């Protein structure tokens, strides 16, 4: 006996495929939504954690800025204290400057040079005197420049030819000079003396020995 199916089987198969596709599409959309939600939550967690770290870093930066300002204020106070201490030390050392001035001036004056007047303004000293010749004045300038740590920057302001009457018949030509020189403070002179010590020792060691 031959059985013939007269039902619309093609439409039924198409409907089953359509239903399967719709179920698969819904499942895919659900899975995609779950994945997107999980990714969103993960990013939100990371963002929140990073914001927390940023807040901690910002708090630390603010604290460090405050400490830096405190340190800068302390350094300013220390510098001011050192400046006041140096000023007090300079004042104490300057009390002996006239003694060093007169002592060194006597040592550095060459023969044939005489000082008539001397004027001091702060660290600048102006000398006026008489020399037997221009060469004596040059020697005095070299002595003040090279032979003592108590004088620096000697400057010849003026030199004028003149004459001195030793007797009514004996007239001598002389050089009237004006020299300006800077008097070094005790602390500066000590530094120059210590710096010149090793240099002099090295120069003496390097110079050939005469036989």
């Amino acid at each position: 006996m031959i059985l013939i199916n007269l039902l619309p089987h093609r439409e039924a198969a198409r409907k089953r495929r359509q239903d399967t596709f719709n179920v698969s599409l819904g499942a895919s959309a659900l899975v995609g939504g779950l994945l997107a939600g999980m990714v969103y939550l993960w990013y939100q967690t990371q963002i929140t954690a990073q914001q927390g770290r940023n807040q901690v870093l910002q708090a630390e930066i603010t604290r460090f800025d405050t400490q830096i300002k405190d340190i800068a204020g302390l350094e300013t106070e220390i510098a001011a204290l050192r400046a006041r201490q140096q000023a007090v030390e300079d004042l104490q050392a300057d009390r002996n400057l006239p003694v060093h001035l007169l002592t060194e001036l006597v040592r550095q004056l060459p023969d044939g040079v005489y000082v008539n007047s001397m004027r001091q303004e702060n660290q600048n000293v102006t000398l006026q005197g008489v020399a037997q010749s221009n060469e004596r004045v040059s020697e005095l300038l070299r002595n003040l420049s090279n032979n003592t740590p108590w004088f620096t920057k000697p400057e010849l302001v003026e030199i004028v030819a003149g004459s001195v009457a030793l007797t009514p018949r004996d007239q001598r030509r002389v050089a009237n000079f004006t020299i300006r020189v800077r008097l070094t403070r005790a602390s500066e002179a000590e530094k120059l003396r210590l710096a010149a010590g090793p240099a002099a020792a090295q120069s003496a060691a390097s110079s050939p020995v005469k036989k």
Side-chain angles (χ1 to χ4, degrees):
M1 179 176 179
I2 300 174
L3 298 177
I4 300 173
N5 187 6
L6 299 177
L7 297 175
H9 62 91
R10 292 187 178 85
E11 287 77 4
R14 184 180 301 109
K15 187 177 183 303
R16 286 195 299 272
R17 289 195 298 272
Q18 185 68 33
D19 293 339
T20 303
F21 175 77
N22 291 334
V23 171
S24 300
L25 183 62
S28 299
L30 179 61
V31 172
L34 291 175
L35 290 177
M38 293 176 62
V39 170
Y40 175 78
L41 291 176
W42 182 80
Y43 274 115
Q44 285 298 115
T45 303
Q46 295 296 319
I47 290 172
T48 302
Q50 186 62 45
Q51 288 176 347
R53 288 192 291 268
N54 290 344
Q55 291 178 355
V56 173
L57 290 175
Q58 188 63 39
E60 291 296 321
I61 290 172
T62 303
R63 185 170 64 87
F64 283 138
D65 288 340
T66 303
Q67 293 179 353
I68 290 172
K69 291 180 180 178
D70 294 339
I71 292 174
L74 290 175
E75 290 179 348
T76 303
E77 292 179 2
I78 291 173
L81 289 175
R82 287 178 177 173
R84 287 197 291 268
Q85 180 182 2
Q86 186 64 42
V88 172
E89 292 177 355
D90 290 340
L91 288 175
Q92 291 178 348
D94 287 349
R95 293 184 301 178
N96 297 325
L97 280 182
V99 177
H100 295 301
L101 171 61
L102 296 176
T103 302
E104 286 299 313
L105 189 59
V106 170
R107 290 178 181 175
Q108 303 307 325
L109 279 179
D111 294 336
V113 177
Y114 307 92
V115 175
N116 295 331
S117 66
M118 179 172 53
R119 185 177 68 256
Q120 180 181 356
E121 295 179 1
N122 296 326
Q123 302 302 115
N124 297 319
V125 179
T126 302
L127 305 174
Q128 292 181 339
V130 179
Q132 292 179 352
S133 62
N134 294 342
E135 288 76 13
R136 299 291 186 181
V137 179
S138 299
E139 184 179 357
L140 175 60
L141 288 172
R142 287 194 300 270
N143 291 346
L144 295 177
S145 177
N146 302 324
N147 295 344
T148 174
W150 292 101
F151 295 110
T152 57
K153 301 179 181 179
E155 176 187 1
L156 179 62
V157 178
E158 183 183 32
I159 184 167
V160 179
S163 61
V164 174
L166 300 180
T167 64
R169 295 184 179 181
D170 189 4
Q171 299 285 333
R172 296 291 180 88
R173 293 184 61 83
V174 295
N176 299 308
F177 65 86
T178 301
I179 292 177
R180 185 181 297 114
V181 66
R182 183 179 182 275
L183 182 61
T184 306
R185 282 194 164 95
S187 57
E188 298 175 354
E190 182 65 18
K191 292 179 182 179
L192 292 173
R193 186 184 65 82
L194 293 177
Q202 183 179 1
S203 176
S206 62
S207 60
V209 178
K210 296 181 180 181
K211 297 183 178 180

